[in-house]
């Protein structure tokens, strides 16, 4: 804590010189929290909810133009930069080397000739039968080496679904698609995955039903898949019983196996592989490079969080002590303003989001303002007060509520910042500009996660133990008076 108290912003702020601007901001925010403002916020929220209800579930464009080699190489270079950043901040970790090995393998595969066509779909839709027929009747005649990995049945487990990848995906359904199938298809398409929707078991429908189902599929996938990529097949048609009347009046019955109806699919596959083979490989490289980058970013965020949490804890205790020691509300605000400003600067440095002093002040003011506007300050203070009343020793000290509240708000602000920073693209750091809407959503989410009574009770005890020497002095002064 000694190190933090040497910060010039803290000394100046706690000494009443750093933050009159925030007092004005908070006073302005407080005036807006009257009945009219609350009604307005409620009306705006209701209007937003209605608008979301009326909006389409998804707004997706048709698949983006096919990837080229330049896009693949750029994606690999971006991932490599993320790995290098991780290596510089986590020097004793094996993760950078492992990710580099993955990236090297990906770079070596940019010119591969073989293709992976993943077959996926729900349970009992005919995935295995389709793979068998493709291998025996089509793949062996194709000049390129093809493999057909099959995923585990989708939607069989509500918690986890199979990972879907590959140069091309055949999404197999046994009829009109369900909401879960539509969602998965939409996610694949929006991620840039090349997909064919294959309606299998065509033979189980009457002719007029076949046209109805196909039309329904085309309508549902409009704007997500082209009609030429929605194909009806019968990979393993049901056998049929044939009755033949003989001249002598007898009837002979026999079972006839039906021939697979795959012509529409194999023609489409042949056309795609002829015209798009190399682009499919490059598009896979783009997606895999993005996955490696995300893995590197996840590791990096964990490293940075481990460095950031102790800083947040130090500042929350500084805020508690400063507010507890200064019963005048204006001084409390000035002290916590300086602390919040320095917190923004220090956390920004960890996440390579460099803020000037003025920018840090603006961020701190924004966080404080949003806490007031969202009603977090009033709600938390009431909760903390109620919990403190159950502990007569700590509640005797009049500044305990303010001190612990200051520590809690400092913690919420700090956690919100690191969650916000963690979502930012690594290459867009050091802008000093925040997305207020996104920051507000993050603030709400962090507050909800840290509002449980069990957490608050433990937090109160923890902060109170740090303030206990000052509380004891305060109680002694009160007794003497």
């Amino acid at each position: 804590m000694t190190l933090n108290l040497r910060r010039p912003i803290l000394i100046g702020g706690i000494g009443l010189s750093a933050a009159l601007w925030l007092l004005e901001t908070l006073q302005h925010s407080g005036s807006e929290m009257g009945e009219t403002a609350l009604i307005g916020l409620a009306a705006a929220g209701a209007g937003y909810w209605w608008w979301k209800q009326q909006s389409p579930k998804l707004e997706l464009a048709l698949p983006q133009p096919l990837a080229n080699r330049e896009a693949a190489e750029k994606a690999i270079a971006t991932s490599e930069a993320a790995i290098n950043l991780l290596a510089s901040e986590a020097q004793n970790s094996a993760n950078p080397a492992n990710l580099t090995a993955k990236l090297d393998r990906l770079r070596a595969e940019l010119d591969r000739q073989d293709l992976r066509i993943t077959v996926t779909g729900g349970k009992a839709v005919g995935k295995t039968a389709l793979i068998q027929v493709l291998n025996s009747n089509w793949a062996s005649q194709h000049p390129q080496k093809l493999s057909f990995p099959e995923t585990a049945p989708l939607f069989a487990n509500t918690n986890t679904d199979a990972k879907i990848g590959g140069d091309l995906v055949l999404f197999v359904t046994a009829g009109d698609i369900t909401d879960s199938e539509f969602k998965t298809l939409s996610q694949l398409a929006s991620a840039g995955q090349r997909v064919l929707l294959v309606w299998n078991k065509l033979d189980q429908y009457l002719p007029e039903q076949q046209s109805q189902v196909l039309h329904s599929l085309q309508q549902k996938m409009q704007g997500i898949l082209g009609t030429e990529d929605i194909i009806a097949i019968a990979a393993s048609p049901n056998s049929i019983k044939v009755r033949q009347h003989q001249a002598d009046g007898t009837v002979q019955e026999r079972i006839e196996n039906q021939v697979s109806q795959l012509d529409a699919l194999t023609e489409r596959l042949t056309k795609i592989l002829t015209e798009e083979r190399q682009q499919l490989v490059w598009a896979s490289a783009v997606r895999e490079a993005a996955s490696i980058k995300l893995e590197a970013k996840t590791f990096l965020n964990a490293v940075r969080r481990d460095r950031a949490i102790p800083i947040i804890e130090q500042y929350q205790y500084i805020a508690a002590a400063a507010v507890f020691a200064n019963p005048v509300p204006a001084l409390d605000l000035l002290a916590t303003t300086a602390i919040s400003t320095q917190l923004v600067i220090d956390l920004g440095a960890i996440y390579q989001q460099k803020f000037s002093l003025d920018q840090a002040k603006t961020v701190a003011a924004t966080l404080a303002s949003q806490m007031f506007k969202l009603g977090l300050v009033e709600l938390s203070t009431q909760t903390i007060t109620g919990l403190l009343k159950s502990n007569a020793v700590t509640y005797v000290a009049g500044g305990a509520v303010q001190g612990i509240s200051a520590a809690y708000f400092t913690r919420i602000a700090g956690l919100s910042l690191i969650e916000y920073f963690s979502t930012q693209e690594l290459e867009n750091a050091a802008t000093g500009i925040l997305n207020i809407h996104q920051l507000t959503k993050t603030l709400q989410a962090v507050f909800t996660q840290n509002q449980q009574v069990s957490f608050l009770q433990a937090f109160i005890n923890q902060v109170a133990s740090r303030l206990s020497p000052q509380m004891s002095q305060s109680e002694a002064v009160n007794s003497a008076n």
Side-chain angles (χ1 to χ4, degrees):
M1 190 177 295
T2 302
L3 176 64
N4 288 317
L5 287 175
R6 292 175 182 168
R7 305 289 191 186
I9 300 175
L10 287 181
I11 296 173
I14 295 175
L16 201 62
S17 63
L20 287 172
W21 53 271
L22 181 58
L23 178 59
E24 296 174 354
T25 301
L26 294 179
Q27 288 175 339
H28 177 69
S29 300
S31 66
E32 292 180 346
M33 292 305 296
E35 181 178 356
T36 301
L38 288 174
I39 293 173
L41 286 173
Y48 178 75
W49 175 88
W50 179 88
W51 177 80
K52 291 292 287 183
Q53 294 298 108
Q54 302 303 314
S55 301
K57 292 182 179 180
L58 290 164
E59 296 179 0
L60 298 173
L62 284 168
Q64 296 297 313
L66 295 172
N68 53 34
R69 188 183 184 92
E70 182 182 0
E73 291 176 342
K74 182 178 179 181
I76 290 174
T78 301
S79 299
E80 188 173 34
I83 295 172
N84 292 337
L85 186 58
L86 172 63
S88 68
E89 296 191 27
Q91 299 178 359
N92 297 325
S93 173
N95 292 322
N98 295 336
L99 294 175
T100 298
K102 289 183 180 181
L103 208 59
D104 289 341
R105 288 194 296 271
L106 181 59
R107 188 181 282 112
E109 291 185 350
L110 284 179
D111 295 312
R112 62 181 167 86
Q113 296 299 306
D114 61 304
L115 291 176
R116 296 185 288 268
I117 302 177
T118 300
V119 180
T120 190
K123 188 176 181 180
V125 294
K127 299 186 295 295
T128 302
L130 174 58
I131 292 174
Q132 291 173 348
V133 177
L134 286 174
N135 273 321
S136 61
N137 296 345
W138 176 72
S140 59
Q141 303 172 6
H142 203 275
Q144 295 155 340
K145 182 180 178 182
L146 303 173
S147 60
F148 296 91
E150 178 182 352
T151 70
L154 302 181
F155 322 116
N157 187 322
T158 56
N159 295 321
T160 56
D161 275 335
K163 182 179 180 181
I164 305 172
D167 303 311
L168 178 64
V169 170
L170 303 185
F171 193 103
V172 185
T173 182
D176 206 351
I177 56 175
T178 64
D179 288 343
S180 297
E181 289 174 320
F182 174 78
K183 180 179 179 181
T184 303
L185 279 163
S186 301
Q187 291 172 342
L188 287 171
S190 64
Q193 176 69 65
R194 191 72 168 88
V195 182
L196 297 185
L197 174 55
V198 180
W199 167 30
N200 191 20
K201 303 187 180 182
L202 172 70
D203 58 300
Q204 297 182 11
Y205 292 79
L206 296 173
E208 62 268 19
Q209 293 175 324
Q210 293 175 0
S211 61
Q212 290 172 359
V213 172
L214 186 59
H215 178 71
S216 177
L217 291 172
Q218 292 171 346
Q219 288 293 109
K220 289 180 179 178
M221 301 308 297
Q222 187 174 8
I224 301 174
L225 292 179
T227 56
E228 68 277 11
D229 289 336
I230 302 173
I231 303 165
I233 67 167
S236 181
N238 291 332
S239 300
I240 61 174
K241 181 184 292 186
V242 178
R243 290 183 175 182
Q244 187 174 18
H245 294 269
Q246 304 299 315
D248 59 4
T250 61
V251 177
Q252 292 184 351
E253 293 185 351
R254 69 179 185 275
I255 300 298
E256 287 189 357
N257 294 324
Q258 300 300 296
V259 178
S260 300
Q261 301 176 37
L262 289 185
D263 288 349
L265 176 60
T266 55
E267 288 176 7
R268 183 60 181 152
L269 284 173
T270 299
K271 181 177 178 60
I272 290 175
L273 268 56
T274 301
E275 299 178 354
E276 306 175 21
R277 185 197 62 79
Q278 191 60 65
Q279 286 85 355
L280 291 174
V281 173
W282 291 331
S284 289
V286 170
R287 291 191 300 274
E288 290 179 37
S291 178
I292 294 172
K293 176 188 173 184
L294 178 61
E295 195 173 351
K297 184 179 178 182
T298 300
F299 286 133
L300 181 61
N301 282 336
V303 170
R304 289 174 169 178
R305 186 181 181 87
D306 288 343
R307 293 166 53 197
I309 292 298
I311 292 177
I312 294 173
E313 291 176 346
Q314 289 178 1
Y315 281 122
Q316 73 187 27
Y317 294 133
I318 295 173
V323 172
F324 182 80
N326 293 286
V328 181
L331 294 179
D332 293 349
L333 289 173
L334 291 171
T336 55
T337 294
I339 294 166
S340 298
T341 300
Q342 188 64 59
L343 177 62
V344 170
I345 291 175
D346 289 358
L347 293 181
I350 291 176
Y351 286 86
Q352 297 195 2
Q353 299 272 343
K354 300 187 183 301
F355 294 96
S356 67
L357 177 59
D358 287 341
Q359 288 173 330
K361 287 180 179 180
T362 301
V363 173
T366 299
L367 284 166
S369 175
Q370 292 302 315
M371 285 186 187
F372 272 95
K373 288 181 178 179
L374 295 171
L376 309 187
V377 173
E378 182 179 1
L379 177 60
S380 299
T381 302
Q382 290 175 351
T383 304
I384 291 172
T385 300
L387 291 173
L388 275 174
K389 283 184 178 180
S390 64
N391 190 330
V393 175
T394 55
Y395 193 66
V396 167
V401 173
Q402 291 85 349
I404 293 173
S405 295
Y408 178 71
F409 297 139
T410 301
R411 183 175 186 84
I412 294 298
L415 292 176
S416 298
L417 285 171
I418 66 176
E419 289 297 326
Y420 175 85
F421 292 151
S422 295
T423 64
Q424 303 306 296
E425 290 294 334
L426 298 177
E427 56 268 27
N428 293 336
T431 61
I433 301 174
L434 297 183
N435 182 319
I436 302 303
H437 176 68
Q438 184 179 349
L439 180 61
T440 301
K441 290 179 62 177
T442 303
L443 178 63
Q444 288 177 297
V446 169
F447 176 78
T448 300
Q449 294 167 3
N450 291 270
Q451 187 61 16
Q452 293 83 359
V453 173
S454 58
F455 168 80
L456 280 173
Q457 186 63 68
F459 182 81
I460 288 171
N461 294 337
Q462 187 179 22
V463 177
S465 66
R466 291 294 190 103
L467 293 177
S468 57
Q470 290 176 273
M471 288 182 176
S472 300
Q473 294 175 8
S474 176
E475 292 171 10
V477 171
N478 291 336
S479 299
N481 293 334

